[in-house]
Amino acid sequence: MGGGSGGGLFSSDIRSLEDKVKQRLAEAKGDVSRHVFISFDHEDLDEVNLLRGQAKNDKMDLQFDDHSVKEPYDSTNADYIKRNICEKIDRCSVTLVYLTDKTASSKWINWEIEESLKRGKGRVSGILWARHNMRENDHGYARETQETIHRGAGGRPRGAAAQAA
Amino acid sequence: MNAEIINRTIDAMCSEIKAQGGSALDWRLLTEDEMLYEAAICIFGSQMQFEMAVATADRLRDRGLLFSKQLAGLADCEPQILDALSQPLSVPGKNGEIRTVMPRFRNRLASLLATTVTEMYGKGHSLRRLLFSADSSKNARKQLMLNVWGFGPKQASLFLRRIGYCADLAVLDVHVLDYLHLTRGIRIAPSRLGRLSCYEEIEDTFREIASRFGHSLGCVDLATWLTMRVAKREAYL
């Protein structure tokens, strides 16, 4: 059974309606873009930039507005850094933790997770969306991607949280 | 792209389709030749892209091969149809450019159309008479499947929709099946839908979905076809 259909429409109607579908899909895709704060260890910056690049590719089913720190803050003043990070977290609905073997030893990630949970205020509170990329030794590109959801205190079921996000 | 966006787009397209309702055909006003032309599009549409099916039917009509009275007395209509299908066709492509394409499965399609014409008109039947004698859209679909070679449930439903006979039958083509998989996780092998009982079962599921949109089954079905077709073409899915 093939794909030819066309309902009761003439070819010219179909073309005009398809243009409208195209426009609506493009608009809808823009509407659902999440504001995301990415928490990551500074040594993983290159990989995170790769992820950011993928989100800008229209052909990829990955889209978000990145509000996280683009470069490590050039400061030794912890209060200044925290204040700036908090501003960014406040702008976002989701905190995405980029998990690698360096995450556990990171100085800032734990604090950023705690702060994200604290500032969730019931919107997406307690939801961390962690993406673990396994690097392939042979070509250096992530081949397998696993998504895991961590729920903090007061977190909602995954489905509900994803919708709320 | 998630199901929510697809559903939102389908909903919007239902309104667009309703606004274009004036262009639908009225089967009572169609001549037998016009019905035969529509039937040819539906027979061809099961094996090729819609635009290609229309171009193929246009070619046959231009050569006088879709005139019912003429065909009924034509002993060698199949070779003539095959000859018409054996030359390349100009078809509008995805971006509006004109492509030259050779129709596929032309032997089979020529045979299906020629057999339909010979059997139906040879016995003094017609599509018009068949439709007037049917007491419901489901019955009309059954009768079409019995009398038109190449018509399964999908093609018969499509024909009835195209000629404006009814809007309560679903055209479960590959795009609609992909939609059911995306939104309901239902995976159906298209070959299974050749059986009317299986087709009607899936159609009932789709009818329930259509009712949530608040539009007729035919309208939602068409909006789904348009949306999924574009979403796949634009690589959103």
Side-chain angles (χ1 to χ4, degrees), chain A residues 34 93-94 123-128 149-151 155-165:
Chain A
R34 307 277 195 261
S93 56
V94 174
R123 292 171 298 156
V124 283
S125 55
I127 301 301
L128 305 174
I149 288 283
H150 293 263
R151 292 176 35 196
R156 285 167 278 179
R158 180 178 180 163
Q163 279 172 11

Side-chain angles (χ1 to χ4, degrees), chain B residues 93-112:
Chain B
K94 288 172 188 170
N95 300 317
E97 82 286 9
I98 300 296
R99 297 180 302 137
T100 304
V101 191
M102 188 67 93
R104 295 163 70 209
F105 310 112
R106 45 191 176 276
N107 287 305
R108 178 177 153 71
L109 294 176
S111 168
L112 290 173

Side-chain angles (χ1 to χ4, degrees), chain A residues 2-3 5 7 14 18 61, chain B residues 1 23 46 50 154 162 173 229:
Chain A
S5 181
I14 290 173
E18 281 187 341
D61 192 17
Chain B
M1 179 150 291
S23 64
S46 67
F50 172 71
K154 184 193 95 171
R162 283 189 62 82
D173 78 342
R229 196 177 187 228

Side-chain angles (χ1 to χ4, degrees), chain B residues 54-125:
Chain B
V54 173
T56 309
D58 285 348
R59 159 78 58 79
L60 294 181
R61 188 169 58 178
D62 292 347
R63 294 204 178 180
L65 291 168
L66 287 178
F67 296 133
S68 53
K69 282 180 186 160
Q70 206 175 318
L71 278 172
L74 206 65
D76 64 338
C77 72
E78 186 172 334
Q80 289 202 41
I81 292 171
L82 182 59
D83 182 56
L85 299 183
S86 299
Q87 287 147 39
L89 283 162
S90 297
V91 183
K94 288 172 188 170
N95 300 317
E97 82 286 9
I98 300 296
R99 297 180 302 137
T100 304
V101 191
M102 188 67 93
R104 295 163 70 209
F105 310 112
R106 45 191 176 276
N107 287 305
R108 178 177 153 71
L109 294 176
S111 168
L112 290 173
L113 186 60
T115 311
T116 297
V117 166
T118 315
E119 292 270 313
M120 195 162 52
Y121 299 126
K123 288 177 184 166
H125 299 316

Side-chain angles (χ1 to χ4, degrees), chain B residues 15-30:
Chain B
S15 306
E16 296 280 357
I17 289 164
K18 276 183 105 174
Q20 292 205 3
S23 64
L25 298 173
D26 180 349
W27 69 281
R28 291 177 193 83
L29 303 176
L30 294 179

